[in-house]
Amino acid sequence: MSSNLRIMANDALLNEIADVRLGHPFRGAVPQVEGGSARVVQIRDLSRHGLRDCDALLRTELEGRKDPDWLKDEDVLFVAKGSNAYAAPVLRAPERTVCSQHIYVVRVKEPGYVLPAFLAWQLNQPPAQRYLRQSAEGSHQLSVRRSVLDATQIRIPPLEQQRVVVDLERLARAEREAMQSLIKNREMELAILAERLLA
């Protein structure tokens, strides 16, 4: 399919096609409040594919007069600190949820022009990752400044091609998960067999 896919694309900087902001300005560690009315996404809650477990998000109460900037469907979260810098799409955001101050929220200005899932995929690919790593502060524990993320070069092919990429990425992930499940089952069978034969 890729050999027949004629790429016609435009280029833009990230801040030209999306609004980028840091998460909620907590001062220090996020205070946990049992039964709190707000949820908080922290770095541990994310993988490159999105939120790991919405039910496991820390609950807290938010202070201040200004309404928090709640997470919205199809926001892209960008982890800016740690050993890896990566983007994670959020398809369905839990209600009354914010991000910690170590995560950028990237909100596409025109989803009819750039698919958020395509943008997240592209930020995780080698060209963007090379730029971010070379521009980040720190060597093992990276820290990506807002100005650096804003200036990330984004290629924007037609929507049809963006959808092809998103669908292929989703298919590859499903296949990878199925394969990992098969390997895990086979290893369990081997462990049971070893117990029977060798115990």
Side-chain angles (χ1 to χ4, degrees):
M1 178 181 298
S2 59
S3 61
N4 297 324
L5 191 64
R6 185 181 175 194
I7 303 297
M8 298 175 63
N10 295 318
D11 291 334
L13 301 182
L14 180 60
N15 67 353
E16 294 174 333
I17 60 168
D19 295 317
V20 181
R21 63 173 175 80
L22 267 177
H24 193 77
F26 292 101
R27 293 181 179 176
V30 181
Q32 182 171 3
V33 177
E34 195 71 31
S37 61
R39 297 181 175 92
V40 183
V41 177
Q42 301 177 87
I43 292 176
R44 68 187 183 197
D45 300 312
L46 291 171
S47 74
R48 288 173 184 256
H49 307 305
L51 287 170
R52 295 179 189 277
D53 182 1
C54 294
D55 295 333
L57 296 179
L58 182 145
R59 284 188 173 272
T60 192
E61 292 293 345
L62 301 179
E63 299 177 352
R65 297 178 180 177
K66 185 181 175 183
D67 280 344
D69 201 344
W70 304 112
L71 202 60
K72 293 184 177 179
D73 292 349
E74 297 201 325
D75 278 346
V76 174
L77 305 185
F78 185 84
V79 175
K81 291 184 181 295
S83 55
N84 293 297
Y86 62 89
V90 177
L91 299 181
R92 288 177 293 280
E95 291 184 355
R96 297 181 61 81
T97 300
V98 297
C99 294
S100 74
Q101 66 273 37
H102 303 303
I103 300 173
Y104 287 106
V105 180
V106 180
R107 189 165 294 163
V108 172
K109 295 176 181 177
E110 295 184 38
Y113 180 57
V114 181
L115 298 178
F118 175 80
L119 177 61
W121 172 84
Q122 188 170 164
L123 287 171
N124 290 332
Q125 298 311 303
Q129 287 288 306
R130 272 195 298 274
Y131 160 74
L132 292 166
R133 185 169 287 278
Q134 289 168 358
S135 306
E137 296 172 352
S139 52
H140 299 295
Q141 294 295 312
L142 302 177
S143 178
V144 178
R145 287 180 287 113
R146 161 82 179 276
S147 58
V148 169
L149 185 58
D150 278 344
T152 307
Q153 194 81 25
I154 302 297
R155 178 145 295 185
I156 309 167
L159 275 178
E160 180 186 349
Q161 293 173 354
Q162 295 181 41
R163 291 193 184 98
V164 169
V165 169
V166 171
D167 289 345
L168 280 176
E169 198 276 338
R170 195 171 296 146
L171 183 61
R173 185 169 72 250
E175 290 173 345
R176 187 164 48 248
E177 290 173 355
M179 189 64 69
Q180 289 170 346
S181 179
L182 285 172
I183 291 171
K184 185 178 179 181
N185 289 340
R186 189 68 70 206
E187 288 176 344
M188 288 178 62
E189 289 178 8
L190 280 171
I192 292 171
L193 185 60
E195 282 292 328
R196 290 175 179 170
L197 289 177
L198 308 176

Short mmCIF file of all heavy atoms in Angstrom, two decimals, residues 28-76:
data_model
loop_
_atom_site.label_atom_id
_atom_site.label_comp_id
_atom_site.label_asym_id
_atom_site.label_seq_id
_atom_site.Cartn_x
_atom_site.Cartn_y
_atom_site.Cartn_z
N GLY A 28 4.10 21.53 43.42
CA GLY A 28 4.65 20.32 44.00
C GLY A 28 3.78 19.12 43.68
O GLY A 28 3.11 19.07 42.65
N ALA A 29 3.81 18.13 44.60
CA ALA A 29 3.08 16.89 44.37
C ALA A 29 1.57 17.15 44.36
O ALA A 29 1.07 18.04 45.06
CB ALA A 29 3.42 15.88 45.46
N VAL A 30 0.87 16.37 43.56
CA VAL A 30 -0.59 16.51 43.48
C VAL A 30 -1.21 15.92 44.75
O VAL A 30 -0.98 14.76 45.06
CB VAL A 30 -1.14 15.77 42.24
CG1 VAL A 30 -2.66 15.95 42.15
CG2 VAL A 30 -0.46 16.27 40.97
N PRO A 31 -1.99 16.71 45.50
CA PRO A 31 -2.58 16.18 46.72
C PRO A 31 -3.73 15.22 46.42
O PRO A 31 -4.63 15.54 45.65
CB PRO A 31 -3.11 17.45 47.42
CG PRO A 31 -3.36 18.41 46.31
CD PRO A 31 -2.33 18.13 45.26
N GLN A 32 -3.67 14.04 47.01
CA GLN A 32 -4.74 13.06 46.81
C GLN A 32 -5.86 13.32 47.81
O GLN A 32 -5.61 13.46 49.01
CB GLN A 32 -4.21 11.64 46.99
CG GLN A 32 -5.29 10.58 46.75
CD GLN A 32 -4.72 9.18 46.72
OE1 GLN A 32 -3.52 8.99 46.94
NE2 GLN A 32 -5.56 8.21 46.45
N VAL A 33 -7.08 13.38 47.30
CA VAL A 33 -8.25 13.60 48.15
C VAL A 33 -9.24 12.47 47.87
O VAL A 33 -9.75 12.36 46.75
CB VAL A 33 -8.91 14.96 47.86
CG1 VAL A 33 -10.17 15.12 48.71
CG2 VAL A 33 -7.93 16.10 48.12
N GLU A 34 -9.48 11.63 48.86
CA GLU A 34 -10.40 10.52 48.68
C GLU A 34 -11.78 11.05 48.28
O GLU A 34 -12.35 11.91 48.96
CB GLU A 34 -10.51 9.74 50.00
CG GLU A 34 -11.16 8.38 49.88
CD GLU A 34 -10.27 7.39 49.15
OE1 GLU A 34 -9.02 7.52 49.25
OE2 GLU A 34 -10.82 6.51 48.49
N GLY A 35 -12.29 10.55 47.15
CA GLY A 35 -13.60 11.00 46.69
C GLY A 35 -13.60 12.39 46.10
O GLY A 35 -14.66 13.01 45.94
N GLY A 36 -12.40 12.93 45.79
CA GLY A 36 -12.30 14.28 45.22
C GLY A 36 -13.10 14.42 43.93
O GLY A 36 -13.33 13.44 43.22
N SER A 37 -13.48 15.65 43.61
CA SER A 37 -14.36 15.87 42.45
C SER A 37 -13.60 15.97 41.13
O SER A 37 -14.23 16.04 40.07
CB SER A 37 -15.17 17.16 42.67
OG SER A 37 -14.29 18.27 42.79
N ALA A 38 -12.28 16.00 41.17
CA ALA A 38 -11.49 16.11 39.94
C ALA A 38 -10.51 14.95 39.83
O ALA A 38 -10.03 14.43 40.85
CB ALA A 38 -10.74 17.44 39.91
N ARG A 39 -10.23 14.57 38.59
CA ARG A 39 -9.22 13.54 38.32
C ARG A 39 -7.98 14.22 37.75
O ARG A 39 -8.09 15.26 37.10
CB ARG A 39 -9.73 12.51 37.32
CG ARG A 39 -10.93 11.70 37.76
CD ARG A 39 -11.28 10.70 36.65
NE ARG A 39 -12.34 9.80 37.02
CZ ARG A 39 -13.64 10.04 36.76
NH1 ARG A 39 -13.98 11.15 36.15
NH2 ARG A 39 -14.57 9.18 37.10
N VAL A 40 -6.82 13.58 37.97
CA VAL A 40 -5.57 14.15 37.46
C VAL A 40 -4.81 13.08 36.68
O VAL A 40 -4.57 11.98 37.19
CB VAL A 40 -4.68 14.65 38.61
CG1 VAL A 40 -3.41 15.30 38.05
CG2 VAL A 40 -5.43 15.63 39.49
N VAL A 41 -4.44 13.42 35.45
CA VAL A 41 -3.59 12.53 34.65
C VAL A 41 -2.14 12.85 34.96
O VAL A 41 -1.70 14.00 34.81
CB VAL A 41 -3.84 12.73 33.14
CG1 VAL A 41 -2.89 11.85 32.33
CG2 VAL A 41 -5.29 12.41 32.79
N GLN A 42 -1.40 11.85 35.40
CA GLN A 42 0.03 12.00 35.64
C GLN A 42 0.80 11.16 34.62
O GLN A 42 0.20 10.33 33.93
CB GLN A 42 0.36 11.57 37.07
CG GLN A 42 -0.42 12.40 38.10
CD GLN A 42 -0.16 11.93 39.52
OE1 GLN A 42 0.78 12.37 40.16
NE2 GLN A 42 -1.02 11.04 40.00
N ILE A 43 2.11 11.35 34.57
CA ILE A 43 2.91 10.66 33.56
C ILE A 43 2.72 9.15 33.65
O ILE A 43 2.62 8.46 32.63
CB ILE A 43 4.39 11.04 33.70
CG1 ILE A 43 4.59 12.52 33.32
CG2 ILE A 43 5.27 10.16 32.82
CD1 ILE A 43 6.01 13.03 33.51
N ARG A 44 2.60 8.62 34.86
CA ARG A 44 2.45 7.17 35.04
C ARG A 44 1.14 6.64 34.44
O ARG A 44 1.00 5.43 34.26
CB ARG A 44 2.50 6.85 36.53
CG ARG A 44 1.29 7.37 37.29
CD ARG A 44 1.40 7.19 38.77
NE ARG A 44 0.21 7.63 39.46
CZ ARG A 44 0.13 7.90 40.75
NH1 ARG A 44 1.21 7.77 41.51
NH2 ARG A 44 -1.00 8.28 41.30
N ASP A 45 0.20 7.51 34.17
CA ASP A 45 -1.10 7.08 33.65
C ASP A 45 -1.13 6.97 32.13
O ASP A 45 -2.15 6.61 31.56
CB ASP A 45 -2.20 8.08 34.08
CG ASP A 45 -2.31 8.19 35.58
OD1 ASP A 45 -2.36 7.14 36.24
OD2 ASP A 45 -2.35 9.33 36.09
N LEU A 46 -0.01 7.32 31.49
CA LEU A 46 0.01 7.40 30.03
C LEU A 46 0.93 6.38 29.39
O LEU A 46 1.95 6.00 29.95
CB LEU A 46 0.46 8.80 29.59
CG LEU A 46 -0.49 9.95 29.88
CD1 LEU A 46 0.19 11.27 29.58
CD2 LEU A 46 -1.76 9.81 29.06
N SER A 47 0.53 5.94 28.20
CA SER A 47 1.43 5.24 27.30
C SER A 47 1.31 5.96 25.95
O SER A 47 0.49 6.88 25.80
CB SER A 47 1.02 3.78 27.14
OG SER A 47 -0.13 3.68 26.33
N ARG A 48 2.08 5.54 24.98
CA ARG A 48 2.00 6.19 23.67
C ARG A 48 0.63 5.99 23.02
O ARG A 48 0.31 6.64 22.03
CB ARG A 48 3.08 5.62 22.74
CG ARG A 48 4.47 6.07 23.12
CD ARG A 48 5.53 5.36 22.31
NE ARG A 48 6.87 5.75 22.76
CZ ARG A 48 7.64 6.58 22.09
NH1 ARG A 48 7.21 7.09 20.96
NH2 ARG A 48 8.83 6.90 22.55
N HIS A 49 -0.16 5.08 23.55
CA HIS A 49 -1.47 4.80 22.95
C HIS A 49 -2.60 5.51 23.68
O HIS A 49 -3.76 5.38 23.29
CB HIS A 49 -1.72 3.30 22.93
CG HIS A 49 -0.60 2.54 22.29
ND1 HIS A 49 -0.16 2.82 21.02
CD2 HIS A 49 0.19 1.54 22.75
CE1 HIS A 49 0.84 2.02 20.71
NE2 HIS A 49 1.09 1.24 21.75
N GLY A 50 -2.31 6.22 24.76
CA GLY A 50 -3.35 6.96 25.46
C GLY A 50 -3.34 6.68 26.95
O GLY A 50 -2.32 6.28 27.52
N LEU A 51 -4.51 6.89 27.56
CA LEU A 51 -4.64 6.65 29.00
C LEU A 51 -4.64 5.16 29.29
O LEU A 51 -5.32 4.38 28.61
CB LEU A 51 -5.94 7.26 29.51
CG LEU A 51 -5.98 8.79 29.60
CD1 LEU A 51 -7.39 9.27 29.88
CD2 LEU A 51 -5.04 9.26 30.70
N ARG A 52 -3.89 4.75 30.33
CA ARG A 52 -3.84 3.33 30.66
C ARG A 52 -5.15 2.87 31.31
O ARG A 52 -5.75 1.88 30.91
CB ARG A 52 -2.69 3.06 31.64
CG ARG A 52 -1.31 3.32 31.06
CD ARG A 52 -0.25 3.04 32.12
NE ARG A 52 1.07 3.48 31.70
CZ ARG A 52 1.88 2.77 30.92
NH1 ARG A 52 1.50 1.60 30.48
NH2 ARG A 52 3.06 3.25 30.58
N ASP A 53 -5.59 3.56 32.37
CA ASP A 53 -6.75 3.12 33.13
C ASP A 53 -7.41 4.36 33.77
O ASP A 53 -6.91 4.90 34.75
CB ASP A 53 -6.32 2.13 34.22
CG ASP A 53 -7.51 1.60 35.01
OD1 ASP A 53 -8.66 1.98 34.70
OD2 ASP A 53 -7.28 0.80 35.93
N CYS A 54 -8.52 4.77 33.20
CA CYS A 54 -9.19 5.98 33.70
C CYS A 54 -9.63 5.82 35.16
O CYS A 54 -9.65 6.80 35.92
CB CYS A 54 -10.41 6.30 32.82
SG CYS A 54 -9.97 6.76 31.13
N ASP A 55 -9.99 4.60 35.55
CA ASP A 55 -10.46 4.38 36.92
C ASP A 55 -9.33 4.54 37.94
O ASP A 55 -9.60 4.68 39.13
CB ASP A 55 -11.07 2.98 37.05
CG ASP A 55 -12.34 2.84 36.22
OD1 ASP A 55 -13.01 3.87 35.99
OD2 ASP A 55 -12.65 1.72 35.80
N ALA A 56 -8.08 4.47 37.47
CA ALA A 56 -6.95 4.55 38.40
C ALA A 56 -6.43 5.98 38.56
O ALA A 56 -5.47 6.21 39.32
CB ALA A 56 -5.82 3.65 37.91
N LEU A 57 -7.04 6.94 37.88
CA LEU A 57 -6.54 8.32 37.98
C LEU A 57 -6.71 8.84 39.40
O LEU A 57 -7.73 8.59 40.06
CB LEU A 57 -7.31 9.23 37.02
CG LEU A 57 -7.15 8.92 35.52
CD1 LEU A 57 -8.00 9.88 34.69
CD2 LEU A 57 -5.70 9.01 35.10
N LEU A 58 -5.71 9.58 39.85
CA LEU A 58 -5.74 10.15 41.19
C LEU A 58 -6.87 11.18 41.28
O LEU A 58 -7.11 11.94 40.35
CB LEU A 58 -4.40 10.81 41.49
CG LEU A 58 -4.20 11.43 42.88
CD1 LEU A 58 -2.75 11.25 43.32
CD2 LEU A 58 -4.55 12.92 42.86
N ARG A 59 -7.55 11.19 42.42
CA ARG A 59 -8.62 12.16 42.64
C ARG A 59 -8.14 13.25 43.59
O ARG A 59 -7.37 12.99 44.53
CB ARG A 59 -9.87 11.49 43.22
CG ARG A 59 -10.65 10.69 42.16
CD ARG A 59 -11.97 10.20 42.70
NE ARG A 59 -12.79 9.60 41.67
CZ ARG A 59 -13.63 10.29 40.89
NH1 ARG A 59 -13.76 11.59 41.05
NH2 ARG A 59 -14.35 9.68 39.97
N THR A 60 -8.61 14.47 43.34
CA THR A 60 -8.19 15.59 44.15
C THR A 60 -9.28 16.68 44.12
O THR A 60 -10.31 16.51 43.46
CB THR A 60 -6.85 16.16 43.64
OG1 THR A 60 -6.33 17.08 44.60
CG2 THR A 60 -7.01 16.86 42.31
N GLU A 61 -9.04 17.75 44.81
CA GLU A 61 -9.88 18.94 44.71
C GLU A 61 -9.00 20.06 44.18
O GLU A 61 -7.85 20.20 44.59
CB GLU A 61 -10.46 19.33 46.08
CG GLU A 61 -11.47 18.35 46.63
CD GLU A 61 -12.77 18.30 45.82
OE1 GLU A 61 -13.00 19.23 45.01
OE2 GLU A 61 -13.53 17.34 45.98
N LEU A 62 -9.54 20.84 43.25
CA LEU A 62 -8.78 21.94 42.66
C LEU A 62 -9.17 23.25 43.31
O LEU A 62 -10.36 23.52 43.52
CB LEU A 62 -9.05 22.00 41.15
CG LEU A 62 -8.70 20.73 40.37
CD1 LEU A 62 -9.03 20.92 38.90
CD2 LEU A 62 -7.22 20.38 40.53
N GLU A 63 -8.17 24.05 43.60
CA GLU A 63 -8.41 25.34 44.25
C GLU A 63 -8.34 26.45 43.20
O GLU A 63 -7.82 26.28 42.12
CB GLU A 63 -7.38 25.57 45.34
CG GLU A 63 -7.43 24.52 46.44
CD GLU A 63 -6.33 24.74 47.48
OE1 GLU A 63 -5.46 25.60 47.23
OE2 GLU A 63 -6.36 24.04 48.50
N GLY A 64 -8.85 27.61 43.57
CA GLY A 64 -8.79 28.77 42.67
C GLY A 64 -10.15 29.14 42.14
O GLY A 64 -11.05 28.31 42.04
N ARG A 65 -10.30 30.41 41.77
CA ARG A 65 -11.58 30.92 41.29
C ARG A 65 -11.81 30.59 39.82
O ARG A 65 -12.93 30.42 39.37
CB ARG A 65 -11.63 32.44 41.48
CG ARG A 65 -11.56 32.87 42.94
CD ARG A 65 -11.58 34.39 43.03
NE ARG A 65 -11.50 34.82 44.42
CZ ARG A 65 -11.44 36.08 44.80
NH1 ARG A 65 -11.42 37.04 43.89
NH2 ARG A 65 -11.37 36.41 46.08
N LYS A 66 -10.72 30.52 39.07
CA LYS A 66 -10.84 30.29 37.64
C LYS A 66 -11.19 28.83 37.36
O LYS A 66 -10.65 27.92 38.00
CB LYS A 66 -9.51 30.64 36.96
CG LYS A 66 -9.55 30.56 35.46
CD LYS A 66 -8.19 30.90 34.89
CE LYS A 66 -8.18 30.70 33.38
NZ LYS A 66 -6.83 30.96 32.82
N ASP A 67 -12.11 28.62 36.41
CA ASP A 67 -12.45 27.26 36.03
C ASP A 67 -11.22 26.57 35.44
O ASP A 67 -10.54 27.16 34.58
CB ASP A 67 -13.57 27.26 34.98
CG ASP A 67 -14.92 27.46 35.62
OD1 ASP A 67 -15.01 27.29 36.85
OD2 ASP A 67 -15.87 27.80 34.89
N PRO A 68 -10.94 25.35 35.85
CA PRO A 68 -9.80 24.63 35.27
C PRO A 68 -10.01 24.38 33.79
O PRO A 68 -11.15 24.33 33.31
CB PRO A 68 -9.79 23.31 36.05
CG PRO A 68 -10.61 23.55 37.27
CD PRO A 68 -11.64 24.57 36.89
N ASP A 69 -8.95 24.22 33.07
CA ASP A 69 -9.03 23.88 31.65
C ASP A 69 -9.12 22.36 31.57
O ASP A 69 -8.11 21.67 31.51
CB ASP A 69 -7.80 24.42 30.91
CG ASP A 69 -8.06 24.55 29.42
OD1 ASP A 69 -9.05 23.95 28.94
OD2 ASP A 69 -7.28 25.22 28.74
N TRP A 70 -10.34 21.85 31.58
CA TRP A 70 -10.54 20.41 31.61
C TRP A 70 -10.06 19.76 30.32
O TRP A 70 -10.13 20.35 29.24
CB TRP A 70 -12.03 20.07 31.81
CG TRP A 70 -12.66 20.64 33.02
CD1 TRP A 70 -13.62 21.61 33.06
CD2 TRP A 70 -12.39 20.29 34.39
NE1 TRP A 70 -13.97 21.87 34.36
CE2 TRP A 70 -13.23 21.08 35.20
CE3 TRP A 70 -11.53 19.39 35.01
CZ2 TRP A 70 -13.23 21.01 36.59
CZ3 TRP A 70 -11.52 19.31 36.39
CH2 TRP A 70 -12.36 20.10 37.16
N LEU A 71 -9.65 18.54 30.45
CA LEU A 71 -9.25 17.74 29.30
C LEU A 71 -10.48 17.52 28.40
O LEU A 71 -11.59 17.34 28.90
CB LEU A 71 -8.72 16.39 29.81
CG LEU A 71 -7.80 15.59 28.91
CD1 LEU A 71 -6.56 16.38 28.59
CD2 LEU A 71 -7.44 14.27 29.60
N LYS A 72 -10.28 17.54 27.09
CA LYS A 72 -11.37 17.32 26.14
C LYS A 72 -11.07 16.12 25.25
O LYS A 72 -9.91 15.71 25.09
CB LYS A 72 -11.55 18.57 25.25
CG LYS A 72 -12.05 19.78 26.00
CD LYS A 72 -12.30 20.93 25.04
CE LYS A 72 -12.87 22.13 25.77
NZ LYS A 72 -13.08 23.28 24.85
N ASP A 73 -12.15 15.57 24.66
CA ASP A 73 -11.97 14.48 23.70
C ASP A 73 -11.01 14.92 22.60
O ASP A 73 -11.09 16.05 22.10
CB ASP A 73 -13.31 14.11 23.06
CG ASP A 73 -14.26 13.46 24.05
OD1 ASP A 73 -13.81 13.13 25.16
OD2 ASP A 73 -15.44 13.29 23.70
N GLU A 74 -10.13 14.00 22.23
CA GLU A 74 -9.17 14.19 21.14
C GLU A 74 -8.07 15.20 21.46
O GLU A 74 -7.38 15.65 20.54
CB GLU A 74 -9.88 14.55 19.83
CG GLU A 74 -10.81 13.44 19.35
CD GLU A 74 -11.13 13.51 17.89
OE1 GLU A 74 -11.26 14.62 17.37
OE2 GLU A 74 -11.24 12.45 17.27
N ASP A 75 -7.91 15.56 22.71
CA ASP A 75 -6.68 16.26 23.07
C ASP A 75 -5.51 15.31 22.89
O ASP A 75 -5.66 14.07 23.00
CB ASP A 75 -6.74 16.72 24.54
CG ASP A 75 -7.52 18.02 24.71
OD1 ASP A 75 -7.77 18.70 23.71
OD2 ASP A 75 -7.87 18.33 25.86
N VAL A 76 -4.35 15.86 22.64
CA VAL A 76 -3.12 15.07 22.57
C VAL A 76 -2.27 15.48 23.76
O VAL A 76 -2.02 16.68 23.96
CB VAL A 76 -2.36 15.33 21.25
CG1 VAL A 76 -1.01 14.62 21.26
CG2 VAL A 76 -3.20 14.86 20.06
#
